[in-house]
Amino acid sequence: MSVITRFAPSPTGFLHIGGARTALFNWLFAKHHGGEMLLRIEDTDRARSTEAAVTAIHEGLHWLGLDWRGEPISQFARADRHAEVARQLLADGNAYYCYATPEALSEMRETAKAEGRSMRYDGRWRGRDPSEAPAGASPVIRLKAPQDGATVIQDLVQGEVTVQNTEMDDMVLLRADGTPTYMLAVVVDDHDMDVSHVIRGDDHLTNALRQRQIYDLMGWSAPHFAHIPLIHGADGAKLSKRHGALGVEAYRDMGILPAALRNYLLRLGWSHGDEEIIDTAQAIAWFDLEGVGKSAARFDIPRLESLNSHYIRTMDEAELCKLLAAQLCQGQARELSAVEAARLPLALDALKERAKTLIELADKAGFLLDGRPLALEEKAAKLLEGEAPAILARAHACLGAVEDWNLEPLTEAIRGLAEAEDLKLGKLAQPLRAALTGRNASPGIFEVLYFLGRQESLDRIGDHMA
RNA sequence: GUCCCCAUCGUCUAGUGGCCUAGGACGCCGGCCUCUCACGCCGGAAACAGGGGUUCGACUCCCCUUGGGGACGCCA
């Protein structure tokens, strides 16, 4: 039997970080077993589903590098099939019409809450004859759930979970307007699509027991369930859309690489011994449900950034160079000039180990762009005070004599000058750095000269010498 | 309120009864390297929620307490 998983988001917003991890786990599990993942949009609630959200989910998954089998499935498109199953349950005596109005129901809940009882549907229409139905009212169809005994699932992450049937009420299967509820649709679809493993957030754990009742009454065998713990915010509170849950595109905009986010999300709730850096191929080879932890994890940005810096340093340079160029042009009305673009690959190696995100990378690469006279950061301006202009004048003269503008000759020239002047190298390097980059921190000063080229370097030094 | 789930350094986690003087990673602190910032290297502080059992022996098994989370919709 082949492994089929599904990622089944509701299209009510962007692909948030918890959903992204759920998708990743489903994808990895399927890949690991040579199976496939389905994408099913759970859009049975027409009022809350939007096309924009569907698009956002597609784009989010695409950016993350996750794919699925075939076309995305719209759950709503299968409403007829869901209704058919509801009618069969009805015909078999495993479901019944309920004429309780929404108002009556919420009143019932209020009373139960006030009296400290559990807020369940009381089954008032369970045994009644259809002839008692109020005229003109359109009923919902409810499952006639077992009233004694217990329902059990063997969860691949949480273990055996048991709930007494007295704790569960008769859930609505088909709404008054004839559309299916999620609870029915999810069971019918997972069954019809031969889903072998349902991997989802553990906020669905108690739902699984209710769904189990439908499987049992239909005489279907249930898929394997794996309820993975939720992700919390840095403060430990639930990560929700109101509380810091960002869409994956927010991480893209923060300059996070998809590979880094995958690795981070993988290690949040799953482990393989002490392994930390796990690329996607390795993840597919290793991923299993036994490695999934049971407790919720907090989202920690510094750790994500640490992983991100690793992937920035190790990724393909040409690829990174493209990302850097794109980032540098962001918000800028102009393209990079040929001269500027040529500096990027030269400097990339030095730059990339100083950046945790693409944003930082672009920021630190800023000095490579033309724009004399350079804007000076405060600390850089300080470095250009006092005897600095005089020193720069001598450096300018010294560098002007360098014919072969390469790392070794430049190093020799500057070191030679420092020695001749009996200056510590820092005394010379810091003003140069300030004049050349406008900052007090940058890659090594010989490299900076080399990246910028002869003319630009000399011009920038000239701007600040006495 | 009722039911369900969870509980190791600040954070992510290793640990499946003796290998634990509890390991790794991020972060933090100190040092080295050094033209600055990073990288790298070396070192440090830092945890088994509490209480009962079971056992020759519990981080590991059981129970209770506490704490956290989730679910109780004609939402998904």
Side-chain angles (χ1 to χ4, degrees):
Chain A
M1 199 193 76
S2 65
V3 167
I4 298 179
T5 62
R6 84 307 198 271
F7 176 54
S10 60
T12 53
F14 43 56
L15 175 66
H16 64 84
I17 206 69
R21 189 184 57 158
T22 300
L24 176 67
F25 281 20
N26 273 285
W27 186 83
L28 286 173
F29 186 77
K31 291 275 176 206
H32 177 83
H33 290 284
E36 271 162 328
M37 179 176 88
L38 270 28
L39 174 62
R40 193 173 68 219
I41 306 294
E42 311 250 321
D43 52 358
T44 51
D45 182 355
R46 304 313 289 164
R48 287 208 243 177
S49 301
T50 68
E51 259 320 298
V54 174
T55 305
I57 289 165
H58 287 182
E59 285 173 354
L61 289 172
H62 182 73
W63 178 75
L64 243 196
L66 306 184
D67 54 11
W68 55 88
R69 185 185 80 190
E71 289 301 303
I73 298 153
S74 159
Q75 187 159 66
F76 180 69
R78 293 176 37 81
D80 289 347
R81 167 63 180 151
H82 304 144
E84 179 187 324
V85 171
R87 282 195 300 273
Q88 187 186 330
L89 253 359
L90 204 53
D92 294 345
N94 289 325
Y96 60 94
Y97 287 114
C98 168
Y99 292 87
T101 61
E103 295 72 39
L105 256 20
S106 74
E107 192 187 309
M108 189 181 74
R109 250 174 248 119
E110 287 304 309
T111 318
K113 192 173 182 179
E115 293 175 5
R117 289 181 289 110
S118 66
M119 302 178 283
R120 278 179 253 123
Y121 170 64
D122 58 11
R124 58 182 63 177
W125 283 91
R126 185 175 169 110
R128 288 220 238 171
D129 193 87
S131 64
E132 293 180 57
S138 31
V140 300
I141 294 178
R142 284 184 186 271
L143 188 76
K144 193 181 283 181
Q147 292 182 305
D148 38 45
T151 299
V152 183
I153 60 166
Q154 298 294 336
D155 192 274
L156 264 20
V157 171
Q158 307 290 344
E160 181 175 291
V161 182
T162 305
V163 172
Q164 297 304 313
N165 287 332
T166 50
E167 297 298 332
M168 289 185 277
D169 60 8
D170 292 341
M171 71 191 113
V172 172
L173 266 16
L174 223 53
R175 302 188 181 100
D177 65 2
T179 59
T181 60
Y182 159 79
M183 216 55 94
L184 201 223
V186 73
V187 169
V188 174
D189 287 352
D190 284 339
H191 171 264
D192 287 1
M193 294 166 197
D194 293 321
V195 170
S196 62
H197 297 260
V198 171
I199 302 170
R200 72 230 301 192
D202 77 11
D203 49 338
H204 282 284
L205 186 54
T206 52
N207 289 338
L209 288 135
R210 297 163 72 81
Q211 288 157 18
R212 179 69 209 240
Q213 295 184 323
I214 302 178
Y215 282 104
D216 289 347
L217 258 12
M218 282 303 292
W220 293 340
S221 62
H224 294 290
F225 289 112
H227 289 91
I228 63 180
L230 267 17
I231 298 176
H232 288 172
D235 60 357
K238 184 191 179 187
L239 203 53
S240 68
K241 281 167 191 161
R242 293 114 267 179
H243 187 88
L246 304 174
V248 290
E249 69 281 354
Y251 295 95
R252 178 198 62 203
D253 294 345
M254 282 166 58
I256 300 294
L257 260 15
L261 190 57
R262 282 197 299 270
N263 193 153
Y264 176 74
L265 253 18
L266 174 67
R267 281 290 288 103
L268 210 55
W270 178 86
S271 60
H272 185 84
D274 284 337
E275 301 293 338
E276 300 289 351
I277 304 286
I278 306 168
D279 66 28
T280 301
Q282 192 59 258
I284 290 171
W286 281 342
F287 190 79
D288 56 17
L289 261 12
E290 288 75 52
V292 178
K294 290 175 143 194
S295 52
R298 298 188 188 200
F299 197 83
D300 187 46
I301 296 281
R303 194 179 170 85
L304 206 209
E305 288 187 335
S306 160
L307 244 9
N308 202 49
S309 75
H310 172 266
Y311 284 95
I312 283 179
R313 273 177 277 158
T314 54
M315 81 178 283
D316 179 76
E317 284 220 355
E319 210 49 42
L320 181 61
C321 207
K322 272 190 226 161
L323 292 174
L324 172 57
Q327 190 61 242
L328 283 168
C329 293
Q330 272 266 312
Q332 215 113 7
R334 66 186 188 92
E335 299 281 293
L336 297 184
S337 72
V339 176
E340 289 169 326
R343 291 174 188 148
L344 263 37
L346 249 41
L348 200 56
D349 212 43
L351 254 20
K352 68 184 183 184
E353 55 192 47
R354 292 172 166 79
K356 291 198 284 289
T357 67
L358 295 176
I359 307 292
E360 265 188 51
L361 185 66
D363 176 61
K364 295 190 191 301
F367 75 91
L368 296 171
L369 304 191
D370 289 330
R372 293 181 42 234
L374 249 48
L376 295 181
E377 284 186 354
E378 203 176 318
K379 284 177 180 168
K382 262 213 129 79
L383 289 170
L384 293 168
E385 290 170 359
E387 49 185 346
I391 293 174
L392 286 178
R394 277 166 280 156
H396 188 274
C398 165
L399 287 166
V402 174
E403 293 296 330
D404 177 20
W405 200 264
N406 273 306
L407 240 27
E408 288 91 285
L410 288 166
T411 305
E412 267 174 50
I414 297 293
R415 283 200 188 279
L417 178 63
E419 217 164 297
E421 304 242 343
D422 199 25
L423 281 174
K424 291 190 71 169
L425 186 54
K427 272 287 190 192
L428 188 48
Q430 282 303 79
L432 271 173
R433 188 182 322 280
L436 254 14
T437 71
R439 305 191 177 193
N440 66 331
S442 80
I445 200 62
F446 312 123
E447 291 172 285
V448 169
L449 286 163
Y450 171 63
F451 302 153
L452 251 18
R454 189 171 204 279
Q455 195 56 53
E456 184 69 17
S457 294
L458 259 17
D459 287 350
R460 288 187 187 189
I461 295 167
D463 287 340
H464 294 284
M465 63 188 197

